[in-house]
Amino acid sequence: MASTPSPAPGRLKPTDRPPGDRLPSSQNSHQPSRRAAAVTLVAMCLGAMTTFLLITASVSALSAIQDDLHVSPTGLVWIPSAYTLLVASLVMSAGTIGNLYGRKRAFLAGAAVMIIGSLTVYTAGSTGGVIAGQLVSGLGGALILPNSLAILGAAFPDPHRRTEVVTAWAAASGIGLAAGPLIAGTLLDHFHWNTVFLSTAALAVVTMAAAVFVAESRGPVGRLDIPGQILAALGIAALVYALIEGGHDGYTSPRILIAWFVAAAALSGFVLVERAARTPMLDMGLFRSASFSAVMFAAAVSLFGFTGVAILSVLFYERVQHLSALDVGWRLLAFFGVYVVVAYATGRVIRRTGFKLPLTVGFLVGAAATAGFTTLEPTTPYARVWWLYVLFGAASGMVAAPSTAAALVSVSHERAGMASGAVNAFRQIGSVTGSALLGALLASRLRSRLPDRLDAHHVPRAAWPAVEH
């Protein structure tokens, strides 16, 4: 991706804002008309909702998919991970495509691809078909996320207004996450599991209708970074493969060790290629800014916990406490609903507090809530832990949304495309590693404890392989 020259090491340009700094007073920047601004914000928020609704909707349908298609625990982890894997691998190149051919055009193409992916899952009759559809949807999500954020960054150059709309965009992702289990639960009560994926297709259609009225924008002239894209995709794919399959084969088994080596080599090669490229997909000079590096780290960690807790909670209540998908959706509303409210509120108060305070408080509160989750037992009633979900949702709102906004505010609006691609890449890397690692650990613990449980219940050893499968 083409970019303007990087700031000198350790220094920030006048437009850069470290996470701990207060925002400057309003500038007399050109702003879109109220109607155009409202349409742009609504369309981009709908795009964010679509990409995140698919995550929790598909997770909520996992039990029904497993019962129908007899999916192994490892295969079950691949279903949500396949989507986030493609998003994480392609999101930076997708931002470049928007810069070259038009961000609105790329956004609309992403929504169309998500419709195709959702319909592919709808017609799937095997685990492979479901994963293939999720991969196609991941391509669509990769096109939507960075371009929606870059469109907002270009439409709202004033730092105050940009921070507010970006946090609203991040809060909209929480609405999608919250709606996913409720929509999936309602559909699963009346229809087959594959109808759950029609909800994503329907929302993508509405998104396309709203985005038609959004103004087109482009970034700096550049070209696709094919070597960088190949290395990024290979490195992330190898990493996710090692995390998921390592839960089955062991993280030190020969083929998993090979995967670790490929991931390390490819990601190291990506850094070297980007540093040498004339038009890099990700300008490594941005990381000379401590604030930008801190924002990327915060974005990855926040989505690691956010997605990981969501997936583990759905599996816990559906497979351990045997609740319906709809009942699980209502319980998780304490998590997602509070996230939406706090994320939006945080965006309004950042002008007075700066970014550092909410990020610090959010991580501390999130750590406390996570410690509380470790006390859960199979019979722990929801009435004893609902407040932990409230705390974790509030913590996520104080971290996920401000870290996204800080990424765009820390660079000039001309570099919004690269910044949005970078922060979305780190967010999705955190998301896919959260679902892959925590899901794999859950499946691994199930396998390790199953033989003792079967023996304690005097199940004949001849029947063990069938039960384990």
Side-chain angles (χ1 to χ4, degrees):
M1 179 183 298
S3 60
T4 54
S6 304
R11 298 181 61 187
L12 298 176
K13 297 187 296 182
T15 50
D16 294 341
R17 308 291 171 198
D21 286 0
R22 297 174 183 272
L23 295 175
S25 58
S26 295
Q27 302 172 3
N28 295 323
S29 303
H30 171 70
Q31 297 290 341
S33 67
R34 288 188 176 183
R35 176 177 294 182
V39 170
T40 300
L41 181 58
V42 168
M44 298 306 103
C45 286
L46 284 172
M49 287 174 58
T50 304
T51 59
F52 281 87
L53 181 143
L54 180 59
I55 295 175
T56 49
S58 59
V59 170
S60 299
L62 287 179
S63 293
I65 295 173
Q66 186 176 38
D67 292 341
D68 183 37
L69 303 180
H70 308 292
V71 186
S72 68
T74 301
L76 208 63
V77 177
W78 273 111
I79 291 175
S81 298
Y83 170 73
T84 48
L85 169 61
L86 256 288
V87 175
S89 299
L90 303 177
V91 70
M92 285 189 288
S93 285
T96 304
I97 290 172
N99 283 350
L100 292 173
Y101 304 106
R103 293 161 177 163
K104 172 185 172 180
R105 187 175 299 172
F107 180 89
L108 289 171
V113 172
M114 286 206 74
I115 294 172
I116 296 172
S118 297
L119 294 179
T120 301
V121 179
Y122 175 74
T123 59
S126 65
T127 304
V130 174
I131 294 175
Q134 290 286 79
L135 290 172
V136 174
S137 294
L139 173 59
L143 286 166
I144 289 174
L145 284 172
N147 288 295
S148 62
L149 199 53
I151 287 171
L152 291 177
F156 300 93
D158 176 73
H160 291 304
R161 187 70 178 124
R162 195 194 310 180
T163 298
E164 292 175 359
V165 298
V166 170
T167 50
W169 175 90
S173 67
I175 297 175
L177 290 168
L182 296 176
I183 293 173
T186 301
L187 292 174
L188 288 170
D189 276 353
H190 299 89
F191 305 102
H192 196 257
W193 62 262
N194 54 12
T195 58
V196 170
F197 294 86
L198 291 180
S199 61
T200 304
L203 186 56
V205 170
V206 175
T207 299
M208 293 182 70
V212 167
F213 302 98
V214 173
E216 182 62 279
S217 67
R218 285 180 170 83
V221 177
R223 60 185 178 85
L224 283 173
D225 180 8
I226 302 300
Q229 176 57 77
I230 292 174
L231 288 170
L234 178 61
I236 295 172
L239 174 64
V240 172
Y241 177 87
L243 290 174
I244 294 178
E245 295 296 328
H248 180 272
D249 297 339
Y251 290 106
T252 58
S253 63
R255 68 181 181 126
I256 301 303
L257 288 176
I258 293 174
W260 289 126
F261 174 79
V262 171
L267 294 176
S268 298
F270 171 78
V271 173
L272 295 176
V273 166
E274 296 306 289
R275 292 184 65 179
R278 294 182 60 186
T279 54
M281 179 167 60
L282 179 59
D283 184 0
M284 292 296 157
L286 290 173
F287 292 93
R288 296 171 185 166
S289 165
S291 62
F292 187 84
S293 299
V295 165
M296 295 301 108
F297 177 77
V301 173
S302 66
L303 263 290
F304 178 95
F306 193 72
T307 306
V309 168
I311 288 178
L312 290 183
S313 297
V314 169
L315 294 176
F316 174 76
Y317 284 115
E318 285 191 359
R319 302 308 263 178
V320 178
Q321 296 202 347
H322 307 291
L323 300 178
S324 69
L326 185 57
D327 288 337
V328 176
W330 286 116
R331 282 162 172 76
L332 292 186
L333 202 57
F335 174 20
F336 297 129
V338 171
Y339 165 81
V340 172
V341 173
V342 173
Y344 183 75
T346 303
R348 306 287 292 183
V349 303
I350 281 176
R351 183 181 304 185
R352 295 189 296 272
T353 66
F355 291 104
K356 185 178 293 185
L357 180 62
L359 289 173
T360 303
V361 173
F363 276 119
L364 291 175
V365 173
T370 304
F373 284 133
T374 63
T375 65
L376 263 68
E377 297 290 340
T379 57
T380 301
Y382 178 74
R384 283 180 50 191
V385 297
W386 65 268
W387 60 276
L388 290 175
Y389 285 104
V390 170
L391 278 181
F392 197 83
S396 299
M398 285 186 280
V399 173
S403 63
T404 305
L408 265 67
V409 174
S410 67
V411 300
S412 62
H413 73 271
E414 291 86 359
R415 309 184 81 183
M418 180 176 288
S420 65
V423 72
N424 273 296
F426 276 82
R427 280 165 58 90
Q428 294 305 317
I429 289 171
S431 178
V432 70
T433 52
S435 61
L437 179 59
L438 297 181
L441 290 175
L442 182 66
S444 177
R445 183 169 184 182
L446 170 64
R447 283 195 190 86
S448 66
R449 300 188 65 176
L450 187 57
D452 290 339
R453 302 295 292 172
L454 293 175
D455 188 47
H457 286 78
H458 307 293
V459 176
R461 286 188 176 270
W464 283 22
V467 175
E468 289 171 351
H469 179 73

